[in-house]
Amino acid sequence: MKKPLSEKIIEGFIHISAAMAIVSLVLIFVFIGKEALPMLTSHEVREEVTVTQMVLPQSPEPGEPKEFSWQPVSRVPKYSLMPLFVGTVKVTVVALLFAIPLSIMAALFTSEFAPSWVRESIKPVIELLAGIPSVVLGFFALIVMATYIQNWFNMDFRLNTLTAGIALGLAVIPIVYTVSEDALSAVPQSYREGALALGATPWQTAWRVVLPSAAPGIFAACVLGFGRAIGETMIVLMASGNAPVMDLSIGYPFRSLSATIAAELGEVVRGSGHYHVLFFIGVLLFIFTFLINFSGQLFVDRLKEKMAGTK
Amino acid sequence: MNNISKIETKALDLFYGHFQALKNIHVSIPPQKITAFIGPSGCGKSTLLRAYNRMNDLIKGVKVTGEVLLDGKNIYSSKMKLISLRKRVGMVFQRPNPFPISTYENVAFGPRIHGITNREQLDNIVETSLKATGMWKDVKDKLQISALALAPEQQQRLCISRLLAVEPEVLLMDEPCSALDPIATAKIEELILELKKCLTVVIVTHNMQQAARVSDYSAFMLLGDLVEFGETKEVFTNPKDKRTQDYITGRFG
Ligand SMILES: Nc1ncnc2c1ncn2[C@@H]1O[C@H](COP(=O)(O)OP(=O)(O)OP(=O)(O)O)[C@@H](O)[C@H]1O
Ligand SMILES: [Mg+2]
C-alpha cells in the first residue's frame, strides 16, 4: 500500500529529530575530544603536563616526597587528577547511599501501602523536588544543612563530603523515586493476589514479590540516579568546600571533577596545558557516565531475560 | 446429603459499595469433594469463592454480613487470623500467576513466609509439592530457571504446587482452565480429581461439561442468588428449579 504524503512527511520529521539527538551527542563528544586530544598528541602540551603526571604521584621539587596534588596555577603547576577523582567517587557514593534506599523505600511505601490520597499527594511533591534549581539546593546545603550536620556529627570542617553528599542526594531522590515508583506500580496485580492468597502479609508481599518483580526498573532508576549524581556540578561546587584534598574520609572537604571544570575553565589561559587538562577531565566524565550507563543497561537486560527465563 | 461440611455458608450478603453481589447465600461445601459453582457471567461465582478466603477484603468498599464457617469457626470473626485462614484455604486464579522467580523459589515461597528456613526441609517440600501435581519429572532439571519460561499448563500446575507446599485444607479455583487449551485442560482436570483425595476443592467454571466431568456437587447461581445446590448428577439431569433447567439446557446465559 502506498503511504500518503502527509504520513511520509511526519515519518521523515521523526527520523530527522532522532538523528539530530544522536548527531548532537556525537558532536559534543567530538568537540570536547578535540580540545582534549593535544594531551596525547601535542609536544608543547606534553612538556607542560603528561597523563602520567595526572595519574601517578609526583614530587613537586626534586627530592621532596611524592604526592597527589592538584594545583594547576601554582609556581610549579601540579596536575594530579587523583584528588578530584577520589572526591567525585566519595561524594557520589555518599549521595547514592543516602538517596537510593530512601527513594526505593518511599516508592515502595507509596505504591504498596499508602492510601490513595497520600500517594496522589506525595508523588507530585517529590517530582517538584526535581524542579528545584541545583543552585538553590547548593545554597541550602551551604547555609543551613552544613551547620546542622557539622554539629550533629561533630565534624572538624563545616563543608565536607557528608554535607555535599546529602545535598547531592536530594537532587538524586526525585529521579530514583519516580522511576522506581513507576516500576513498582507496573507489577501485575496478580502477583500481589498470588502472594496474599498464600497467606503472605502485605509487607512480605511487597518485599519478597513486588520489589523483586520490579528489580530491572529499580536498577535502571539507580543507574539514572548515578548519572545525575556524577554530572551534578553546582551543588557540589557550593557545598564541598572545594579543596582538592586527597583523603578518603567523609569528614573532609573535597573537590569533584565536574566542579573543577566549572570553577576553572572560565579563567584558564586558552591553549595552555591547564586548558587541555580541563577538557581531558570532561572526556573522562563523559566516558565514565557512558560506561556506567552501558553496563547498567546490559545488566538490566540480563536481569529481564533471567526473569522471563529466556536466557 | 452430607451433614458434616467443610465450609458452611450462612446468610451471606456481600456488597460492593451499594451493589449487592451476593444475596443471602446458604450452602455447605462437603469435605474432600469437588464442588462446582456454575452460572452466567456476573452472577457472583467469583465473589462467593473469594469470600471463602477473604480475598474480597482487598477491594475497597466491600461489606460482608452473615457467616462463613470453616470447620465450624466463623472466618469473618475478629478471632480468625487472616494469614492462617489463607494458609488453610488456598486459591488458584484464572490466569496462571507464577512469580517471575525460579520454579524452586515459587514453590518455596509459601513455606518460607510461614517460617521454614531449613534448606533440606525446603528441598523436600518443593519436591513433594511438584510430585503431587505430576510436574516433578519435567522440571526437576530446571528448577532454577524462571517460572515464566514454563508453558501455561505447567504454570498453572506450578501455581497449584505452590499452594500444596503450605498444606492447605481447601483449594479454591476460579476458572483454572480458562486460559488453557483443551489438552492442558484435560490434564488439569485429572489433577483436580487426584487432589480431592486429601483436599476439599471448590471450582468456578463456565464450562458445563467441565462441571459435569469433575464435580461431585454443583451450585447454580443467578444474579447473586444461589438457586440450586445438590449432587452434580441431580442438578444436571433432574434440576428442581426452572431457572437451573433453562441454564443447563442453554436457554440463557
Ligand atoms: N470490585 C468490584 N466492584 C464492584 N462491583 C464488582 C466488583 N467485582 C465484581 N463486581 C460485580 O459483582 C457481580 C458479581 O461479580 P463476579 O466477578 O463475582 O461474577 P462472576 O460470576 O465471577 O462472573 P464471571 O463469570 O464473568 O467471572 C458482577 O455484577 C460484577 O459487576
Ligand atoms: Mg469470575
Side-chain angles (χ1 to χ4, degrees), chain B residues 7-231:
Chain B
I7 302 175
E8 179 85 47
T9 317
K10 286 185 176 165
L12 188 72
D13 288 321
L14 188 144
F15 297 83
Y16 291 115
H18 293 292
F19 174 74
Q20 183 165 11
L22 297 177
K23 299 170 187 161
N24 193 27
I25 305 282
H26 287 270
V27 60
S28 9
I29 311 283
Q32 301 198 1
K33 296 277 186 256
I34 299 173
T35 303
F37 290 167
I38 54 173
S41 199
C43 67
K45 306 179 294 291
S46 300
T47 304
L48 180 56
L49 197 71
R50 293 163 65 95
Y52 291 155
N53 69 346
R54 295 184 57 178
M55 285 303 273
N56 290 320
D57 290 18
L58 300 176
I59 299 164
K60 263 217 313 231
V62 167
K63 207 176 77 215
V64 182
T65 61
E67 288 185 340
V68 174
L69 308 177
L70 176 66
D71 287 336
K73 300 230 170 55
N74 186 7
I75 65 167
Y76 283 93
S77 92
S78 54
K79 274 192 234 98
M80 177 60 74
K81 289 221 179 65
L82 208 52
I83 289 166
S84 57
L85 167 69
R86 291 191 180 145
K87 188 167 174 285
R88 292 171 62 192
V89 183
M91 182 162 225
V92 180
F93 297 84
Q94 198 162 350
R95 321 203 102 259
N97 60 348
F99 307 132
I101 50 181
S102 70
T103 300
Y104 182 97
E105 285 303 323
N106 262 283
V107 183
F109 177 82
R112 276 193 209 278
I113 57 172
H114 295 297
I116 296 174
T117 51
N118 180 301
R119 185 73 196 197
E120 216 172 302
Q121 214 178 338
L122 287 172
D123 286 349
N124 279 333
I125 295 176
V126 169
E127 186 173 339
T128 340
S129 312
L130 290 171
K131 275 182 175 157
T133 56
M135 64 184 298
W136 172 252
K137 268 200 299 352
D138 298 331
V139 297
K140 69 174 191 292
D141 297 321
K142 35 184 186 179
L143 288 177
Q144 299 310 327
I145 295 177
S146 170
L148 300 189
L150 297 172
E153 179 208 334
Q154 297 285 50
Q155 291 193 4
Q156 197 59 301
R157 269 178 205 271
L158 177 62
C159 292
I160 298 171
S161 314
R162 188 169 71 182
L163 289 169
L164 297 182
V166 300
E167 299 178 340
E169 301 158 26
V170 180
L171 222 48
L172 308 173
M173 306 180 132
D174 194 347
E175 305 185 35
C177 301
S178 64
L180 305 179
D181 64 50
I183 295 171
T185 300
K187 289 187 178 158
I188 296 285
E189 283 176 7
E190 228 171 88
L191 171 61
I192 297 171
L193 286 168
E194 189 67 24
L195 289 173
K196 87 169 169 182
K197 287 183 187 151
C198 37
L199 289 166
T200 305
V201 178
V202 187
I203 182 171
V204 166
T205 176
H206 260 137
N207 182 331
M208 288 301 123
Q209 284 82 30
Q210 182 169 63
R213 279 193 303 262
V214 300
S215 70
D216 303 301
Y217 293 88
S218 290
F220 172 63
M221 297 181 68
L222 190 62
L223 298 171
D225 286 310
L226 194 128
V227 175
E228 183 159 350
F229 177 76
E231 285 190 35

Side-chain angles (χ1 to χ4, degrees), chain A residues 31 37 44 51 54 82 85 92 96 102 133 146 148 154 156 182 198 208 242 261 270 272 299-300 309:
Chain A
F31 279 97
L37 205 60
E44 272 166 66
V51 173
M54 297 194 289
M82 282 323 203
F85 184 72
T92 306
L96 295 183
L102 209 63
Y148 284 107
N154 223 342
D156 294 335
D182 289 345
L198 278 163
R208 297 187 178 207
N242 239 355
I261 302 177
R270 207 181 163 134
S272 66
F299 184 77
V300 169

Side-chain angles (χ1 to χ4, degrees), chain A residues 255-287:
Chain A
R255 181 191 287 201
S256 76
L257 292 165
S258 58
T260 305
I261 302 177
E264 298 178 7
L265 196 56
E267 297 164 6
V268 73
V269 179
R270 207 181 163 134
S272 66
H274 186 190
Y275 175 87
H276 291 298
V277 170
L278 291 179
F279 275 94
F280 189 74
I281 295 177
V283 170
L284 285 183
L285 277 175
F286 204 101
I287 292 174

Side-chain angles (χ1 to χ4, degrees), chain A residues 16 127 245 282:
Chain A
I16 291 173
E127 278 160 12
V245 189

